[in-house]
Amino acid sequence: QTKPPGPAPTPRPGQNDLDGPWNRDLRVAFPSDGLSMGQASSFIERAGVPCVIRDSGERLVAVFQWFPFDDAAAFDRVAVAFSTDGGTNWSKPVRMSFSGLPSNLMRPFDPTVVQLGDGRYRLYFTSNEQGGGGRPAIYSAISNDAVNYTFEAGARFAPAGGTVDAAAVWFGEKWHLFSHTAQAGTGKGYHAVSADGLLFEELAQVDVGSGRQWIGNAVVTGGVLRYYGSGRDGSWSATSADGAAWTLDNGSRANGGDPSGVWLADGRLMLVFVGELRSDAGPRPN
């Protein structure tokens, strides 16, 4: 697991402050067949929980949790960067803005972005009620520019056990949502579907076997779904024709976690993931 399954970038039990999420960078690779990784390179420094899509205008939109040491207002906030040349060059990350957030909700984290048929962007994110002992759930906000968002009332997906880090993808004429259960490493994850992307119906849990978890993202490839997820042996991937039954791909994808894949206009897959601990890992800034 590459980040704590909870609402704040605080160390997990048994984790020291030097392994906080601000001590990792996002990496990028271009697997030739979606599986063979090749060489990875640096993408965004001090960031995690990535999701990348290609929008209807052929622009790449990357969202992530950002931990810049030189911008206290943006530390541990959701940010976005754009590429208009197929991923060669990227804009400087920009902190997202949110209007209409209920006062009792924590700041958004664990972002996943999708584009709707009308061109707007929907951001799914995790939050929970402050001070009320509420379990984390998945919420959403809507935007015309992928930077400035308006909160959409209610929770999108709030199972009884709580959940974090949703992945969302349009497949088979419906939205599929996958997210992490509170049980790390069991291979089981939540699965829910929706016709409108707002009201989700919880289905049977998905399962890819012990040592893996549903922290990652899904992409449509060759008429099926492929999910890239996190595990004890690095990132894994699996395919499904219906979002319910999954077949693991052989081997591992990357020596990192929380991966997100996007097909580029030139036919290549771009895979962004959370890399290993930085060599200068240290405590979070004051």
Side-chain angles (χ1 to χ4, degrees), residues 125-148:
F125 60 88
T126 310
S127 186
N128 64 355
E129 296 179 1
Q130 300 187 69
R135 294 184 175 90
I138 307 304
Y139 298 85
S140 70
I142 199 78
S143 173
N144 290 318
D145 60 8
V147 177
N148 303 290

Side-chain angles (χ1 to χ4, degrees), residues 60-138:
L60 296 179
V61 183
V63 302
F64 43 87
Q65 204 80 11
W66 197 25
F67 304 94
F69 277 23
D70 58 354
D71 186 351
F75 189 89
D76 190 24
R77 295 297 186 266
V78 177
V80 61
F82 303 98
S83 174
T84 58
D85 59 6
T88 300
N89 297 288
W90 288 83
S91 65
K92 183 179 178 180
V94 175
R95 174 189 175 185
M96 290 181 184
S97 70
F98 295 89
S99 63
L101 281 173
S103 59
N104 65 333
L105 280 187
M106 295 188 67
R107 83 284 185 268
F109 56 99
D110 292 354
T112 290
V113 67
V114 301
Q115 188 178 34
L116 307 180
D118 62 8
R120 293 181 301 165
Y121 301 87
R122 175 167 285 139
L123 190 81
Y124 294 98
F125 60 88
T126 310
S127 186
N128 64 355
E129 296 179 1
Q130 300 187 69
R135 294 184 175 90
I138 307 304

Side-chain angles (χ1 to χ4, degrees), residues 124-206:
Y124 294 98
F125 60 88
T126 310
S127 186
N128 64 355
E129 296 179 1
Q130 300 187 69
R135 294 184 175 90
I138 307 304
Y139 298 85
S140 70
I142 199 78
S143 173
N144 290 318
D145 60 8
V147 177
N148 303 290
Y149 284 85
T150 300
F151 181 75
E152 297 180 294
R156 302 286 72 80
F157 183 58
T163 189
V164 300
D165 204 355
V169 61
W170 178 258
F171 178 74
E173 300 303 313
K174 65 186 70 173
W175 291 102
H176 290 258
L177 182 149
F178 304 96
S179 62
H180 181 50
T181 69
Q183 300 167 330
T186 65
K188 295 182 179 181
Y190 289 118
H191 179 209
V193 295
S194 172
D196 61 4
L198 294 173
L199 181 63
F200 280 88
E201 174 191 2
E202 183 176 355
L203 303 180
Q205 290 187 10
V206 287

